[in-house]
Amino acid sequence: MSLFPQPRWLRRWIRRRMNPLPVDRAALWKGRISLLYSILAWNALGWVGYMIFTGRNDWAKYYGYKTEEEDKMPQAVRFAKQLNLPNAHVMKYSGFKKTDEYDLKDNEVVRKGDQSKEVSTEVSE
């Protein structure tokens, strides 16, 4: 069983319209395609490394698709907005240690430590 099973109708459609290849010819083309794939993957890895090295790893910010306001927004708030969760409990971990914990109330960060004065940072939409 594979991770992404091939649709049965697609397999039947392909087998109806194609003739079987001899084993040696199929192995030759499998080798050629795998070589092409490895070259493309190596170049893609080099391109990603180049982009990180030149400081363009956040491509949305570099090309202007992300505003400064969105860039300053904590990642938990961005995910909560994307998942449509206005009220959430956020716990941050670094390795096996909990580094931070806070609540989100209507997409505002509310820390539990100061009950007398709630420290909140409003995030506009």
Coordinates of all heavy atoms in Angstrom, one line a residue, residues 18-105:
M18 N -1.7 2.3 -23.7 CA -0.3 2.2 -23.9 C 0.1 0.7 -24.1 O -0.5 -0.2 -23.5 CB 0.4 2.8 -22.7 CG 0.1 4.2 -22.5 SD 1.3 5.3 -21.8 CE 2.7 5.0 -22.6
N19 N 1.1 0.4 -24.9 CA 1.6 -0.9 -25.0 C 2.6 -1.2 -24.0 O 3.4 -0.2 -23.6 CB 2.2 -1.1 -26.4 CG 1.2 -1.0 -27.5 OD1 0.0 -1.3 -27.3 ND2 1.6 -0.4 -28.7
P20 N 2.8 -2.4 -23.5 CA 3.8 -2.7 -22.5 C 5.2 -2.5 -23.1 O 5.4 -2.8 -24.3 CB 3.6 -4.1 -22.1 CG 2.5 -4.6 -23.0 CD 1.9 -3.5 -23.8
L21 N 6.2 -2.0 -22.3 CA 7.5 -1.9 -22.8 C 8.3 -3.1 -22.4 O 8.1 -3.7 -21.4 CB 8.2 -0.7 -22.0 CG 7.7 0.7 -22.4 CD1 8.3 1.8 -21.5 CD2 8.0 1.0 -23.8
P22 N 9.4 -3.4 -23.2 CA 10.3 -4.5 -22.8 C 11.0 -4.1 -21.5 O 11.2 -2.9 -21.3 CB 11.3 -4.6 -24.0 CG 10.6 -3.9 -25.1 CD 9.7 -2.9 -24.5
V23 N 11.4 -5.0 -20.7 CA 12.0 -4.8 -19.4 C 13.3 -4.0 -19.5 O 13.5 -3.0 -18.8 CB 12.3 -6.1 -18.7 CG1 13.0 -5.9 -17.4 CG2 11.0 -6.9 -18.4
D24 N 14.2 -4.3 -20.5 CA 15.4 -3.6 -20.6 C 15.2 -2.1 -21.0 O 15.9 -1.2 -20.5 CB 16.4 -4.3 -21.6 CG 15.7 -4.4 -23.0 OD1 14.5 -4.4 -23.1 OD2 16.5 -4.7 -23.9
R25 N 14.3 -1.9 -21.9 CA 14.0 -0.5 -22.3 C 13.3 0.3 -21.1 O 13.7 1.5 -20.9 CB 13.0 -0.5 -23.5 CG 12.8 0.8 -24.1 CD 12.1 0.7 -25.4 NE 11.8 2.0 -25.9 CZ 10.8 2.3 -26.7 NH1 10.0 1.3 -27.2 NH2 10.5 3.5 -27.1
A26 N 12.5 -0.3 -20.4 CA 11.9 0.3 -19.2 C 12.9 0.7 -18.2 O 12.9 1.7 -17.6 CB 10.8 -0.6 -18.6
A27 N 13.9 -0.2 -17.9 CA 14.9 0.0 -17.0 C 15.8 1.2 -17.4 O 16.3 2.0 -16.6 CB 15.8 -1.2 -16.8
L28 N 16.1 1.3 -18.8 CA 16.9 2.3 -19.3 C 16.2 3.7 -19.1 O 16.8 4.6 -18.6 CB 17.1 2.1 -20.8 CG 17.8 3.3 -21.6 CD1 19.3 3.3 -21.2 CD2 17.7 3.1 -23.1
W29 N 14.9 3.8 -19.3 CA 14.2 5.0 -19.1 C 14.0 5.4 -17.6 O 14.0 6.5 -17.3 CB 12.8 5.0 -19.8 CG 13.0 5.3 -21.3 CD1 13.0 4.5 -22.3 CD2 13.2 6.7 -21.8 NE1 13.2 5.2 -23.5 CE2 13.3 6.5 -23.2 CE3 13.3 7.9 -21.2 CZ2 13.6 7.6 -24.0 CZ3 13.5 9.0 -22.0 CH2 13.7 8.8 -23.4
K30 N 13.9 4.3 -16.8 CA 13.8 4.6 -15.4 C 15.1 5.2 -14.9 O 15.1 6.2 -14.1 CB 13.5 3.3 -14.6 CG 13.4 3.5 -13.2 CD 13.1 2.1 -12.5 CE 13.0 2.3 -11.0 NZ 12.8 1.0 -10.3
G31 N 16.2 4.7 -15.4 CA 17.5 5.3 -15.0 C 17.7 6.8 -15.5 O 18.2 7.6 -14.8
R32 N 17.2 7.0 -16.7 CA 17.3 8.4 -17.3 C 16.5 9.4 -16.5 O 16.9 10.5 -16.2 CB 16.9 8.4 -18.8 CG 17.8 7.7 -19.7 CD 17.3 7.7 -21.1 NE 18.2 7.1 -22.0 CZ 17.9 6.8 -23.3 NH1 16.7 7.0 -23.7 NH2 18.8 6.2 -24.0
I33 N 15.2 8.9 -16.2 CA 14.3 9.8 -15.4 C 14.9 10.1 -14.0 O 14.8 11.2 -13.5 CB 12.9 9.2 -15.4 CG1 12.3 9.3 -16.9 CG2 12.0 10.0 -14.5 CD1 11.0 8.6 -17.0
S34 N 15.4 9.0 -13.4 CA 16.0 9.2 -12.0 C 17.2 10.1 -12.1 O 17.4 10.9 -11.1 CB 16.3 7.9 -11.4 OG 17.3 7.2 -12.1
L35 N 18.0 10.0 -13.1 CA 19.2 10.9 -13.2 C 18.7 12.4 -13.4 O 19.2 13.3 -12.7 CB 20.0 10.5 -14.4 CG 21.3 11.4 -14.6 CD1 22.2 11.2 -13.4 CD2 22.0 11.0 -15.9
L36 N 17.7 12.6 -14.2 CA 17.1 13.9 -14.4 C 16.5 14.5 -13.1 O 16.7 15.6 -12.8 CB 16.0 13.9 -15.5 CG 15.3 15.2 -15.8 CD1 16.3 16.2 -16.4 CD2 14.1 15.0 -16.7
Y37 N 15.8 13.6 -12.4 CA 15.2 14.0 -11.1 C 16.3 14.4 -10.1 O 16.2 15.4 -9.4 CB 14.4 12.9 -10.5 CG 13.9 13.2 -9.2 CD1 12.8 14.1 -9.0 CD2 14.4 12.6 -8.1 CE1 12.4 14.4 -7.7 CE2 14.0 12.9 -6.8 CZ 12.9 13.8 -6.6 OH 12.5 14.1 -5.4
S38 N 17.4 13.6 -10.0 CA 18.5 14.0 -9.1 C 19.1 15.3 -9.4 O 19.5 16.1 -8.6 CB 19.5 12.8 -9.0 OG 20.1 12.6 -10.2
I39 N 19.3 15.6 -10.7 CA 19.9 16.8 -11.1 C 19.0 18.0 -10.8 O 19.5 19.0 -10.3 CB 20.3 16.8 -12.7 CG1 21.4 15.8 -12.9 CG2 20.6 18.2 -13.2 CD1 21.7 15.6 -14.4
L40 N 17.7 17.8 -11.1 CA 16.8 18.9 -10.7 C 16.7 19.1 -9.2 O 16.7 20.3 -8.7 CB 15.4 18.6 -11.3 CG 15.2 18.7 -12.8 CD1 13.9 18.2 -13.2 CD2 15.5 20.1 -13.2
A41 N 16.7 18.1 -8.4 CA 16.7 18.2 -7.0 C 17.9 18.9 -6.4 O 17.9 19.7 -5.5 CB 16.5 16.8 -6.3
W42 N 19.1 18.5 -7.0 CA 20.3 19.1 -6.5 C 20.3 20.6 -6.8 O 20.8 21.4 -6.0 CB 21.5 18.4 -7.2 CG 22.8 18.9 -6.8 CD1 23.7 19.7 -7.5 CD2 23.5 18.7 -5.5 NE1 24.8 20.0 -6.7 CE2 24.7 19.4 -5.5 CE3 23.1 18.0 -4.4 CZ2 25.5 19.4 -4.4 CZ3 24.0 18.0 -3.3 CH2 25.2 18.7 -3.3
N43 N 19.9 21.0 -8.0 CA 19.8 22.4 -8.4 C 18.8 23.2 -7.5 O 19.0 24.3 -7.1 CB 19.5 22.6 -9.8 CG 20.6 22.3 -10.7 OD1 21.8 22.6 -10.4 ND2 20.4 21.7 -11.9
A44 N 17.7 22.5 -7.2 CA 16.7 23.2 -6.3 C 17.3 23.4 -4.9 O 17.1 24.5 -4.3 CB 15.4 22.3 -6.2
L45 N 18.0 22.4 -4.4 CA 18.7 22.6 -3.1 C 19.7 23.7 -3.2 O 19.8 24.5 -2.2 CB 19.4 21.3 -2.7 CG 20.1 21.3 -1.4 CD1 19.1 21.5 -0.2 CD2 20.9 20.0 -1.2
G46 N 20.5 23.8 -4.2 CA 21.4 24.9 -4.4 C 20.7 26.2 -4.4 O 21.2 27.2 -3.9
W47 N 19.6 26.3 -5.1 CA 18.8 27.6 -5.2 C 18.3 28.0 -3.8 O 18.4 29.2 -3.5 CB 17.7 27.4 -6.2 CG 16.9 28.7 -6.3 CD1 15.7 28.9 -5.8 CD2 17.3 29.9 -7.0 NE1 15.3 30.2 -6.1 CE2 16.2 30.8 -6.8 CE3 18.4 30.3 -7.7 CZ2 16.3 32.1 -7.4 CZ3 18.5 31.6 -8.2 CH2 17.4 32.4 -8.0
V48 N 17.8 27.1 -3.1 CA 17.3 27.4 -1.7 C 18.5 27.9 -0.8 O 18.4 28.8 -0.1 CB 16.6 26.1 -1.1 CG1 16.4 26.4 0.4 CG2 15.3 25.9 -1.8
G49 N 19.6 27.2 -0.9 CA 20.8 27.6 -0.2 C 21.3 29.0 -0.6 O 21.6 29.8 0.3
Y50 N 21.3 29.3 -1.9 CA 21.6 30.6 -2.4 C 20.7 31.7 -1.8 O 21.1 32.8 -1.4 CB 21.6 30.6 -3.9 CG 21.8 32.0 -4.5 CD1 23.1 32.6 -4.5 CD2 20.7 32.7 -5.1 CE1 23.2 33.9 -5.0 CE2 20.9 33.9 -5.6 CZ 22.1 34.5 -5.6 OH 22.3 35.8 -6.1
M51 N 19.4 31.4 -1.8 CA 18.4 32.4 -1.4 C 18.6 32.6 0.1 O 18.5 33.8 0.6 CB 17.0 31.9 -1.6 CG 16.7 31.8 -3.1 SD 16.7 33.4 -4.0 CE 15.1 33.9 -3.7
I52 N 18.9 31.6 0.9 CA 19.1 31.8 2.3 C 20.4 32.6 2.6 O 20.5 33.5 3.4 CB 19.1 30.4 3.1 CG1 17.7 29.8 3.1 CG2 19.7 30.6 4.5 CD1 17.7 28.4 3.6
F53 N 21.4 32.3 1.8 CA 22.7 32.9 2.0 C 22.6 34.4 1.6 O 23.3 35.2 2.3 CB 23.8 32.3 1.1 CG 25.1 32.9 1.2 CD1 25.9 32.6 2.3 CD2 25.7 33.6 0.2 CE1 27.2 33.2 2.4 CE2 26.9 34.2 0.2 CZ 27.7 34.0 1.4
T54 N 21.8 34.8 0.6 CA 21.7 36.2 0.3 C 20.7 36.9 1.1 O 20.4 38.1 0.8 CB 21.4 36.3 -1.2 OG1 20.1 35.6 -1.5 CG2 22.5 35.8 -2.1
G55 N 20.0 36.3 2.0 CA 19.1 36.9 2.9 C 17.7 37.0 2.4 O 16.9 37.8 2.8
R56 N 17.3 36.2 1.4 CA 16.0 36.2 0.8 C 15.2 35.0 1.2 O 14.4 34.5 0.5 CB 16.1 36.3 -0.7 CG 16.6 37.7 -1.1 CD 16.5 37.8 -2.6 NE 17.8 37.3 -3.2 CZ 18.0 37.2 -4.5 NH1 17.1 37.6 -5.3 NH2 19.2 36.8 -4.9
N57 N 15.4 34.4 2.4 CA 14.7 33.2 2.8 C 13.3 33.5 3.1 O 12.4 32.6 3.0 CB 15.4 32.5 4.0 CG 15.7 33.4 5.2 OD1 15.6 34.6 5.0 ND2 16.0 32.9 6.3
D58 N 12.9 34.7 3.5 CA 11.5 35.0 3.7 C 11.1 35.8 2.4 O 11.1 37.0 2.3 CB 11.3 35.9 4.9 CG 9.8 36.1 5.3 OD1 9.0 35.5 4.6 OD2 9.5 36.8 6.2
W59 N 10.7 35.0 1.4 CA 10.5 35.5 0.1 C 9.3 36.5 0.1 O 9.3 37.4 -0.7 CB 10.4 34.4 -1.0 CG 9.2 33.5 -0.7 CD1 9.2 32.4 0.0 CD2 7.9 33.7 -1.2 NE1 7.9 31.9 0.0 CE2 7.1 32.7 -0.7 CE3 7.3 34.7 -2.0 CZ2 5.7 32.6 -1.0 CZ3 5.9 34.6 -2.3 CH2 5.2 33.5 -1.8
A60 N 8.3 36.2 0.9 CA 7.1 37.0 0.9 C 7.4 38.4 1.4 O 6.9 39.4 0.9 CB 6.0 36.4 1.8
K61 N 8.3 38.5 2.4 CA 8.7 39.8 2.9 C 9.6 40.5 1.9 O 9.5 41.7 1.6 CB 9.5 39.7 4.2 CG 9.9 41.0 4.8 CD 10.6 40.7 6.1 CE 11.2 42.0 6.7 NZ 12.1 41.8 7.8
Y62 N 10.6 39.8 1.3 CA 11.5 40.4 0.3 C 10.8 40.9 -0.9 O 11.2 42.0 -1.4 CB 12.5 39.3 -0.1 CG 13.6 39.8 -1.0 CD1 14.7 40.5 -0.5 CD2 13.5 39.6 -2.4 CE1 15.6 41.0 -1.4 CE2 14.5 40.1 -3.3 CZ 15.5 40.8 -2.7 OH 16.5 41.3 -3.6
Y63 N 9.8 40.2 -1.4 CA 9.2 40.7 -2.6 C 7.9 41.6 -2.3 O 7.2 41.9 -3.3 CB 8.8 39.5 -3.5 CG 10.0 38.8 -4.1 CD1 10.4 37.6 -3.7 CD2 10.7 39.5 -5.1 CE1 11.5 37.0 -4.3 CE2 11.8 38.9 -5.7 CZ 12.2 37.6 -5.3 OH 13.3 37.1 -5.8
G64 N 7.7 41.9 -1.1 CA 6.6 42.8 -0.7 C 5.2 42.2 -0.6 O 4.3 43.0 -0.6
Y65 N 5.1 40.9 -0.5 CA 3.8 40.3 -0.3 C 3.3 40.3 1.1 O 2.2 40.1 1.4 CB 3.8 38.9 -0.9 CG 4.0 38.8 -2.4 CD1 5.1 38.2 -2.9 CD2 3.0 39.4 -3.2 CE1 5.2 38.1 -4.3 CE2 3.2 39.3 -4.6 CZ 4.3 38.7 -5.1 OH 4.5 38.6 -6.5
K66 N 4.3 40.5 2.0 CA 4.0 40.5 3.5 C 4.2 41.9 4.0 O 5.3 42.5 3.8 CB 4.8 39.5 4.2 CG 4.5 39.4 5.7 CD 5.5 38.5 6.4 CE 5.7 37.2 5.9 NZ 6.6 36.4 6.7
T67 N 3.3 42.5 4.6 CA 3.4 43.9 5.1 C 4.3 43.9 6.4 O 4.5 42.8 7.0 CB 2.1 44.5 5.4 OG1 1.4 43.8 6.5 CG2 1.2 44.6 4.2
E68 N 4.8 45.0 6.8 CA 5.5 45.1 8.1 C 4.7 44.7 9.3 O 5.1 44.1 10.2 CB 6.0 46.6 8.3 CG 7.1 47.0 7.3 CD 8.4 46.2 7.6 OE1 8.7 45.9 8.7 OE2 9.1 45.9 6.6
E69 N 3.4 45.1 9.2 CA 2.5 44.7 10.3 C 2.3 43.2 10.4 O 2.4 42.6 11.5 CB 1.1 45.3 10.0 CG 0.1 45.2 11.1 CD -1.2 45.9 10.7 OE1 -1.2 47.1 10.6 OE2 -2.2 45.2 10.5
E70 N 2.2 42.5 9.3 CA 2.2 41.0 9.3 C 3.5 40.4 9.8 O 3.5 39.4 10.4 CB 1.8 40.5 8.0 CG 0.4 40.7 7.6 CD 0.1 40.3 6.1 OE1 1.1 40.3 5.3 OE2 -1.0 39.9 5.8
D71 N 4.6 41.1 9.4 CA 5.9 40.5 9.8 C 6.1 40.6 11.3 O 6.8 39.8 11.9 CB 7.0 41.3 9.0 CG 8.3 40.6 9.2 OD1 8.4 39.4 9.2 OD2 9.3 41.4 9.3
K72 N 5.6 41.7 11.9 CA 5.8 41.9 13.4 C 4.8 41.0 14.2 O 5.0 40.8 15.4 CB 5.6 43.3 13.8 CG 6.7 44.2 13.2 CD 6.5 45.6 13.6 CE 7.6 46.5 13.0 NZ 7.4 47.9 13.2
M73 N 3.8 40.5 13.6 CA 2.8 39.7 14.2 C 3.4 38.3 14.6 O 4.1 37.7 13.8 CB 1.6 39.5 13.3 CG 0.4 38.8 13.9 SD -0.9 38.5 12.7 CE -1.0 40.0 11.8
P74 N 3.2 37.9 15.9 CA 3.7 36.5 16.2 C 3.1 35.4 15.4 O 2.0 35.5 14.9 CB 3.2 36.4 17.7 CG 2.9 37.7 18.2 CD 2.5 38.5 17.0
Q75 N 3.9 34.4 15.2 CA 3.5 33.3 14.3 C 2.2 32.6 14.8 O 1.4 32.2 14.0 CB 4.6 32.3 14.1 CG 4.3 31.3 13.1 CD 5.5 30.4 12.8 OE1 6.4 30.3 13.7 NE2 5.5 29.7 11.7
A76 N 2.1 32.5 16.1 CA 0.9 31.9 16.7 C -0.4 32.6 16.3 O -1.4 32.1 16.0 CB 1.0 31.7 18.2
V77 N -0.3 34.0 16.3 CA -1.5 34.8 16.0 C -1.8 34.6 14.5 O -3.0 34.5 14.1 CB -1.2 36.3 16.4 CG1 -2.3 37.2 15.9 CG2 -1.0 36.4 17.8
R78 N -0.8 34.6 13.7 CA -1.0 34.4 12.2 C -1.7 33.1 12.0 O -2.7 33.0 11.2 CB 0.3 34.5 11.5 CG 0.7 35.9 11.2 CD 1.8 35.9 10.2 NE 3.1 35.8 11.0 CZ 4.2 35.3 10.6 NH1 4.3 34.8 9.4 NH2 5.2 35.3 11.4
F79 N -1.2 32.0 12.6 CA -1.9 30.7 12.4 C -3.3 30.7 13.0 O -4.2 30.1 12.4 CB -1.0 29.6 13.1 CG 0.2 29.2 12.3 CD1 1.4 29.0 12.9 CD2 0.1 29.0 10.9 CE1 2.5 28.6 12.2 CE2 1.2 28.6 10.2 CZ 2.4 28.4 10.8
A80 N -3.5 31.3 14.1 CA -4.8 31.4 14.7 C -5.8 32.1 13.8 O -7.0 31.7 13.7 CB -4.8 32.0 16.1
K81 N -5.4 33.2 13.2 CA -6.2 33.9 12.3 C -6.5 33.1 11.0 O -7.6 33.0 10.5 CB -5.6 35.2 11.9 CG -5.6 36.3 12.9 CD -4.9 37.5 12.5 CE -5.6 38.3 11.5 NZ -5.0 39.6 11.2
Q82 N -5.5 32.4 10.5 CA -5.7 31.5 9.4 C -6.6 30.4 9.6 O -7.4 30.0 8.8 CB -4.3 31.0 8.9 CG -4.4 30.4 7.5 CD -3.0 30.1 7.0 OE1 -2.0 30.1 7.7 NE2 -3.0 29.8 5.7
L83 N -6.6 29.8 10.8 CA -7.4 28.7 11.2 C -8.8 29.1 11.8 O -9.6 28.3 12.2 CB -6.7 27.8 12.2 CG -5.5 27.1 11.7 CD1 -4.7 26.4 12.8 CD2 -5.9 26.1 10.6
N84 N -9.0 30.4 11.8 CA -10.2 31.0 12.4 C -10.4 30.6 13.8 O -11.5 30.1 14.2 CB -11.4 30.7 11.5 CG -12.6 31.6 11.7 OD1 -12.4 32.7 12.3 ND2 -13.7 31.1 11.3
L85 N -9.4 30.7 14.6 CA -9.5 30.4 16.1 C -9.2 31.7 16.8 O -8.0 32.0 17.2 CB -8.4 29.4 16.5 CG -8.6 28.0 15.8 CD1 -7.4 27.2 16.1 CD2 -9.8 27.4 16.4
P86 N -10.2 32.6 17.1 CA -9.9 33.8 17.8 C -9.4 33.6 19.3 O -8.7 34.4 19.8 CB -11.2 34.6 17.8 CG -12.2 33.5 17.6 CD -11.6 32.4 16.8
N87 N -9.9 32.6 19.9 CA -9.5 32.3 21.3 C -8.7 31.0 21.4 O -9.2 29.9 21.0 CB -10.7 32.2 22.2 CG -11.5 33.4 22.2 OD1 -11.0 34.5 22.1 ND2 -12.8 33.3 22.2
A88 N -7.4 31.1 21.8 CA -6.6 29.9 21.8 C -5.6 30.0 22.9 O -5.3 31.1 23.4 CB -5.9 29.7 20.5
H89 N -5.0 28.9 23.3 CA -4.0 28.8 24.4 C -2.7 28.4 23.7 O -2.6 27.4 23.0 CB -4.4 27.8 25.4 CG -3.4 27.8 26.5 ND1 -3.3 28.7 27.5 CD2 -2.4 26.9 26.8 CE1 -2.3 28.4 28.3 NE2 -1.8 27.3 28.0
V90 N -1.7 29.3 23.8 CA -0.4 29.1 23.1 C 0.7 28.7 24.0 O 0.9 29.4 25.1 CB 0.0 30.3 22.3 CG1 1.3 30.1 21.6 CG2 -1.1 30.7 21.3
M91 N 1.4 27.6 23.7 CA 2.6 27.2 24.5 C 3.7 27.1 23.5 O 3.6 26.4 22.5 CB 2.3 25.9 25.2 CG 1.3 25.9 26.3 SD 1.1 24.4 27.2 CE 0.5 23.3 26.0
K92 N 4.9 27.7 23.9 CA 6.0 27.7 23.0 C 7.1 26.8 23.7 O 7.3 26.9 24.9 CB 6.6 29.1 22.8 CG 5.8 30.0 22.0 CD 6.5 31.3 21.7 CE 5.7 32.2 20.8 NZ 6.4 33.4 20.5
Y93 N 7.7 25.9 22.9 CA 8.7 25.0 23.4 C 10.0 25.2 22.6 O 10.0 25.5 21.4 CB 8.3 23.6 23.2 CG 7.2 23.1 24.2 CD1 5.9 23.3 24.0 CD2 7.6 22.5 25.4 CE1 4.9 22.9 24.9 CE2 6.7 22.2 26.3 CZ 5.4 22.3 26.1 OH 4.4 21.9 27.0
S94 N 11.1 25.1 23.3 CA 12.4 25.1 22.7 C 13.1 23.8 23.2 O 13.5 23.7 24.3 CB 13.2 26.3 23.1 OG 14.5 26.2 22.5
G95 N 13.2 22.8 22.3 CA 13.7 21.5 22.7 C 12.6 20.8 23.5 O 11.4 20.7 23.1
F96 N 12.9 20.4 24.8 CA 12.0 19.8 25.7 C 11.5 20.8 26.8 O 10.9 20.4 27.7 CB 12.6 18.6 26.3 CG 12.7 17.5 25.3 CD1 14.0 17.0 24.9 CD2 11.6 16.8 24.8 CE1 14.1 16.0 24.0 CE2 11.8 15.8 23.8 CZ 13.0 15.4 23.4
K97 N 11.9 22.1 26.7 CA 11.6 23.0 27.7 C 10.5 24.0 27.2 O 10.6 24.5 26.1 CB 12.8 23.8 28.1 CG 13.9 23.0 28.8 CD 15.0 23.8 29.3 CE 16.1 23.0 30.0 NZ 17.2 23.7 30.4
K98 N 9.6 24.3 28.1 CA 8.5 25.3 27.7 C 9.1 26.7 28.0 O 9.6 27.0 29.0 CB 7.3 25.1 28.6 CG 6.2 26.0 28.2 CD 4.8 25.7 28.8 CE 4.8 25.1 30.1 NZ 3.5 25.1 30.7
T99 N 9.1 27.5 26.9 CA 9.7 28.8 27.0 C 8.7 29.9 27.3 O 9.1 30.9 27.8 CB 10.6 29.1 25.8 OG1 9.7 29.1 24.6 CG2 11.7 28.2 25.6
D100 N 7.5 29.7 26.8 CA 6.5 30.8 26.9 C 5.1 30.2 26.9 O 4.9 29.1 26.3 CB 6.6 31.8 25.8 CG 5.9 33.1 26.0 OD1 5.5 33.3 27.2 OD2 5.9 33.9 25.1
E101 N 4.2 30.9 27.5 CA 2.8 30.4 27.5 C 1.9 31.6 27.6 O 2.1 32.5 28.5 CB 2.6 29.5 28.7 CG 1.2 28.9 28.8 CD 1.1 27.8 29.9 OE1 2.1 27.6 30.6 OE2 0.0 27.3 30.0
Y102 N 0.9 31.7 26.8 CA -0.1 32.8 26.8 C -1.4 32.4 26.1 O -1.5 31.4 25.5 CB 0.5 34.1 26.2 CG 1.0 34.0 24.8 CD1 0.1 34.2 23.7 CD2 2.3 33.7 24.5 CE1 0.6 34.1 22.4 CE2 2.8 33.6 23.2 CZ 1.9 33.8 22.2 OH 2.4 33.7 20.9
D103 N -2.4 33.3 26.3 CA -3.7 33.1 25.7 C -3.9 34.1 24.6 O -3.4 35.2 24.6 CB -4.8 33.2 26.7 CG -4.8 32.1 27.7 OD1 -4.6 30.9 27.3 OD2 -5.1 32.3 28.9
L104 N -4.7 33.7 23.6 CA -5.2 34.6 22.6 C -6.7 34.8 22.8 O -7.5 33.8 22.8 CB -5.0 34.0 21.2 CG -3.5 33.9 20.7 CD1 -3.5 33.2 19.4 CD2 -2.9 35.2 20.6
K105 N -7.1 36.0 23.0 CA -8.5 36.4 23.1 C -8.8 37.4 22.0 O -8.3 38.5 22.0 CB -8.8 37.0 24.5 CG -8.4 36.2 25.7 CD -9.6 35.6 26.3 CE -9.2 34.9 27.6 NZ -9.4 33.5 27.7

